[in-house]
Structure formats: C-alpha cells, structure tokens
Amino acid sequence: MKSHVPLSQRATVKFERVEDRYKVSVTPLDRLDWRIGYAPTMKAAVELAHELAN
C-alpha cells in the first residue's frame, strides 16, 4: 500500500453518498479550487481523494 501525507495536512475533503456511489470533493488548504470525482466504494473514494489532492 502506498504511504501518503495525511490529507488533512494538504487539503479539505468532503465525502458524500450519492445514490449508489460516493462523491469526493477536494480543495487545497490555501485556496478554494474544488476538484470533484465519483467512486463506487468508500475505499476507492479515499484513493480518489488522494489523487485529486495532488
């Protein structure tokens, strides 16, 4: 498994359950620039959040 810098030190992350998938919203701590993606499972949503934070 990859080791990541904690998301809380890099970005603000929101997870929302939307019907049968998860909506992931990520923005860097220093500015509002939301990136949004969708994932089928919570595990995939966490990985997507790390990708969107980079």
Side-chain angles (χ1 to χ4, degrees), residues 13-40:
V13 182
K14 294 191 315 184
F15 296 100
E16 298 175 59
R17 181 79 174 166
V18 179
E19 296 180 10
D20 60 343
R21 58 188 178 163
Y22 291 90
K23 178 180 178 183
V24 182
S25 305
V26 178
T27 187
L29 290 176
D30 60 348
R31 65 186 183 281
L32 285 177
D33 183 22
W34 290 100
R35 295 178 183 177
I36 298 172
Y38 293 88

Side-chain angles (χ1 to χ4, degrees), residues 28-54:
L29 290 176
D30 60 348
R31 65 186 183 281
L32 285 177
D33 183 22
W34 290 100
R35 295 178 183 177
I36 298 172
Y38 293 88
T41 65
M42 188 53 154
K43 183 176 180 178
V46 171
E47 286 298 318
L48 177 59
H50 282 282
E51 291 175 22
L52 293 173
N54 290 335

